[in-house]
Amino acid sequence: MSHNLATLCIHAGMEPDPSTGAIMTPIYQTSTYVQEAPAQHKGFEYARSQNPTRQALETALAVIEKGNYGLSFSSGVAATDAVIKLLQPGDEVVAANDMYGGTYRIFTKVFEKFGIRFRFVDTTQVENVEAALSSATKLVWLETPTNPLMNITDIAAIATITKAKGILLCVDNTFASPYLQNPLELGADIVMHSATKYLGGHSDVIQGALIMKDADLRERLYFIQKSCGAVPGPQDCFLVLRGIKTLHIRMERHCQNGAMVAHFLRNHPKVAKVYWPGFEDHPGYAIASKQMRGFGGMISFELKNNSVEEAKRVLSSTHLFSLAESLGGVESLINHPASMTHASIPREERIKNGLSDSLIRLSVGIEDANDLIADLEKAIG
Ligand SMILES: *Cc1c(COP(=O)(O)O)cnc(C)c1O
């Protein structure tokens, strides 16, 4: 199909149900499939290995992320887990030093003890990545924009280096969503998503995804998916499929509202710094403009006096912005990375990477932007 993304969001993976013609993919709530004779079946044997609802979702994921194959997982970290299971003891991974706290946790607390080594560098400087590679490096793991500092890494530049050395490149594309950025088109080998966020879009499901172009890589990851078993249930697949149908409209509004809130914060006398890649003086602006189609609705900021108490007061004073972990849903959320989403990163490590104790992160939803601004105005005071 050569349709545009808005059309693909609605039609990708969607075939009328063969048995009834139902326009919506049914929730195939089944664990197994009846076979006509031993090993004579319709391509479905056991639901850990195949499920039609999951298959429809995986097709949709592949199409909107410009890959050939999609695989969905029971959570974003389960998708990350599957990628690291491609590796062996002694292998090294070069990863971003500013990324989702749970990714850092699974790398350092789960996989290091199996002999896989992780080196964390500031990936916004391509030469740092290059300098960290060794003959044992098998994977480079990027997140861009990063959570929570909105740092931007040049995916195409890193891909040129990893390709030349035969190293896999995986990009966590959760913050941008396939609507704003397609890392496979920039040379990445694997795209990872927490579908819990923008893909699902309604804060009602936990799910992860991997998308790739290469058939052999798909086979290896599918083998891990079915062998390790972190598969999502069919109802959750249905919810993410439904979420994808409005991804393009939601992302447009997230971007519009994000821009309005970012500018409001920047002009506020009590705000010291706003982290949002759409500002022309953001260090990653040129690269973001090149590799993204919009700047999204994720914004972090610091107050002028830099006091943790004042930040906590603001965090507890908003009404439309709910104080909660997560992001990417239709409703706006406010979060304190140091004590919430990023508490699993040691404080020393956080401060070193520029994540202060007073940083506030917003996931700007798709409510009326003026109402959101009024809410922040009142809370900041
Ligand atoms: C939430 C998140 C994850 C983890 O996904 P889960 O669905 O919570 O397991 C990974 N990366 C990023 C950028 C996230 O925001």
Side-chain angles (χ1 to χ4, degrees):
M1 273 196 292
S2 62
H3 297 303
N4 293 312
L5 195 61
T7 309
L8 295 175
C9 281
I10 292 169
H11 293 283
M14 302 298 295
E15 296 290 342
D17 180 51
S19 57
T20 62
I23 191 164
M24 287 301 125
T25 307
I27 299 167
Y28 282 91
Q29 194 76 52
T30 189
S31 61
T32 192
Y33 309 88
V34 177
Q35 307 197 2
E36 276 157 39
Q40 207 178 311
H41 53 75
K42 301 178 165 72
F44 298 92
E45 298 153 282
Y46 184 60
R48 173 156 37 74
S49 306
Q50 310 98 357
N51 178 284
T53 318
R54 193 171 90 220
Q55 210 168 59
L57 171 61
E58 290 177 337
T59 304
L61 288 165
V63 171
I64 62 171
E65 196 51 283
K66 317 282 179 200
N68 295 327
Y69 309 98
L71 292 170
S72 52
F73 291 83
S74 53
S75 66
V77 293
T80 302
D81 174 83
V83 174
I84 305 302
K85 284 175 177 159
L86 291 168
L87 308 178
Q88 304 200 31
D91 287 351
E92 284 183 11
V93 179
V94 172
N97 65 0
D98 166 37
M99 59 179 188
Y100 178 67
T103 306
Y104 179 85
R105 183 173 58 194
I106 191 173
F107 286 180
T108 57
K109 296 278 166 34
V110 178
F111 282 111
E112 260 177 11
K113 67 170 186 274
F114 292 108
I116 296 167
R117 283 192 292 269
F118 297 87
R119 305 181 72 175
F120 298 97
V121 301
D122 173 2
T123 58
T124 64
Q125 307 301 314
V126 177
E127 57 273 21
N128 292 344
V129 176
E130 203 160 18
L133 301 177
S134 78
S135 57
T137 311
K138 295 287 156 43
L139 174 72
V140 170
W141 185 282
L142 298 180
E143 195 179 303
T144 180
T146 60
N147 181 0
L149 292 172
M150 314 302 152
N151 286 319
I152 303 292
T153 292
D154 189 334
I155 299 171
I158 306 275
T160 307
I161 297 168
T162 52
K163 269 205 168 39
K165 294 187 186 275
I167 296 168
L168 284 176
L169 174 60
C170 181
V171 179
D172 181 340
N173 201 29
T174 301
F175 263 39
S177 90
Y179 185 70
L180 298 182
Q181 178 171 276
N182 297 120
L184 297 177
E185 296 215 307
L186 300 165
D189 299 292
I190 307 170
V191 169
M192 176 264 161
H193 278 284
S194 169
T196 311
K197 316 294 168 56
Y198 287 109
L199 288 170
H202 295 75
S203 308
D204 51 11
V205 67
I206 293 283
Q207 198 176 111
L210 298 177
I211 301 100
M212 67 288 317
K213 283 188 168 174
D214 184 70
D216 175 58
L217 193 53
R218 188 262 173 198
E219 280 318 301
R220 288 159 65 204
L221 287 163
Y222 172 64
F223 179 81
I224 293 167
Q225 183 200 40
K226 74 173 182 192
S227 303
C228 299
V231 290
Q235 168 120 13
D236 287 354
C237 293
F238 178 88
L239 287 172
V240 176
L241 257 179
R242 175 199 269 224
I244 287 172
K245 286 176 194 289
T246 54
L247 179 70
H248 54 302
I249 306 203
R250 287 185 287 108
M251 291 313 295
E252 291 285 355
R253 183 63 79 89
H254 283 297
C255 289
Q256 281 168 20
N257 285 1
M260 283 180 72
V261 169
H263 284 97
F264 157 76
L265 288 170
R266 190 176 181 136
N267 294 325
H268 197 288
K270 286 194 179 166
V271 173
K273 183 153 189 198
V274 185
Y275 299 84
W276 183 64
F279 289 131
E280 285 182 27
D281 56 2
H282 183 287
Y285 178 77
I287 296 162
S289 306
K290 190 179 69 175
Q291 69 188 15
M292 300 175 74
R293 290 180 282 267
F295 302 108
M298 294 302 299
I299 301 167
S300 294
F301 67 101
E302 278 154 2
L303 296 169
K304 259 194 184 132
N305 60 13
N306 211 23
S307 106
V308 181
E309 284 62 44
E310 185 62 5
K312 287 194 170 157
R313 190 193 59 73
V314 171
L315 282 151
S316 312
S317 308
T318 53
H319 296 286
L320 284 176
F321 283 86
S322 302
L323 179 61
E325 299 199 4
S326 201
L327 60 107
V330 290
E331 64 287 296
S332 293
L333 300 180
I334 190 165
N335 164 52
H336 183 228
S339 70
M340 296 166 68
T341 44
H342 291 66
S344 54
I345 301 175
R347 181 168 187 273
E348 200 180 306
E349 196 69 20
R350 282 199 313 263
I351 303 288
K352 199 176 83 196
N353 300 331
L355 200 175
S356 74
D357 286 340
S358 57
L359 189 83
I360 297 173
R361 189 190 79 183
L362 302 175
S363 170
V364 179
I366 64 169
E367 301 95 334
D368 182 278
N370 292 317
D371 290 339
L372 295 178
I373 288 169
D375 190 35
L376 289 171
E377 175 103 75
K378 211 158 154 237
I380 297 169

